[in-house]
């Protein structure tokens, strides 16, 4: 993986990540310019399968002021994801049979400087699971702080 553009930190808090996939994205030129400028937010976005194809919904990609309004893009529009048929079948199986969710984790440039999206099959966490994770993080932080002061 190359340079990270945007991360979805909320996904790690709200979901238990089961399996990760790398997907390409179909983008317009103005969207690519907005992504290169770092105007991306994946916080409330999700992936949905429509007629055997994967789409990214509700991901915010901001416009640049230099882009003409005629060539501009919809900031929260749907964007098609590029995956292999076997990967889409695996995602569909997890969503339909097991009731899991597909969430985007991060957007990044790969080695060839192409924009990729890391998506994952995830299971929603219960409130007590979130509390346990927060306790564990606090304990690790306290231990590291104590070791640093020692």
């Amino acid at each position: 993986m190359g340079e990270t553009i945007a991360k979805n930190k909320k996904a790690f808090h709200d979901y238990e990540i089961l399996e990760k996939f790398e997907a390409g994205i179909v983008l317009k030129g103005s969207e690519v310019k907005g992504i290169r400028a770092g105007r991306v937010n994946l916080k409330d976005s999700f992936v949905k399968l429509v007629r055997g194809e994967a789409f990214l919904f509700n991901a915010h990609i901001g416009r640049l002021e230099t882009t003409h309004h005629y060539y501009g893009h919809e900031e929260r529009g749907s964007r098609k994801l590029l995956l292999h048929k076997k990967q889409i079948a695996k995602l569909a199986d997890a969503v339909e049979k097991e009731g899991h969710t597909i969430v985007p984790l991060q957007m990044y440039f790969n080695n060839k400087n192409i924009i990729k999206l890391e998506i994952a099959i995830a299971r929603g966490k219960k409130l007590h699971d979130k509390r346990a994770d927060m306790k564990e993080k606090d304990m690790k932080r306290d231990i590291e702080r104590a070791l640093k002061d020692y």
Side-chain angles (χ1 to χ4, degrees), residues 90-146:
K90 198 170 198 176
L91 291 171
D93 186 46
V95 170
E96 291 172 9
K97 291 183 181 175
E98 300 164 16
H100 296 311
T101 312
I102 308 168
V103 292
L105 299 178
Q106 69 176 345
M107 189 178 285
Y108 60 92
F109 293 112
N110 70 355
N111 298 336
K112 296 179 181 177
N113 213 18
I114 296 172
I115 298 168
K116 297 288 184 176
L117 183 72
E118 185 178 35
I119 61 174
I121 297 173
R123 180 186 311 131
K125 284 185 184 176
K126 305 282 189 236
L127 184 61
H128 58 85
D129 293 334
K130 292 180 189 178
R131 286 184 183 151
D133 285 349
M134 289 174 69
K135 277 185 186 177
E136 191 177 312
K137 284 181 185 177
D138 288 342
M139 286 175 47
K140 282 184 181 177
R141 193 178 309 125
D142 291 341
I143 290 169
E144 287 176 10
R145 204 176 284 147

Side-chain angles (χ1 to χ4, degrees), residues 58-72:
N58 212 20
H60 183 270
I61 299 176
R63 286 193 198 117
L64 291 177
E65 293 83 31
T66 57
T67 307
H68 193 273
H69 66 85
Y70 181 78
Y71 298 109

Side-chain angles (χ1 to χ4, degrees), residues 15-40:
Y15 299 100
E16 178 185 343
I17 307 302
L18 303 175
E19 189 173 356
K20 296 178 182 180
F21 297 95
E22 182 183 65
I25 315 171
V26 177
L27 297 168
K28 293 181 181 177
S30 60
E31 291 173 327
V32 173
K33 287 182 179 183
I35 290 170
R36 288 195 183 280
R39 297 180 178 225
V40 183

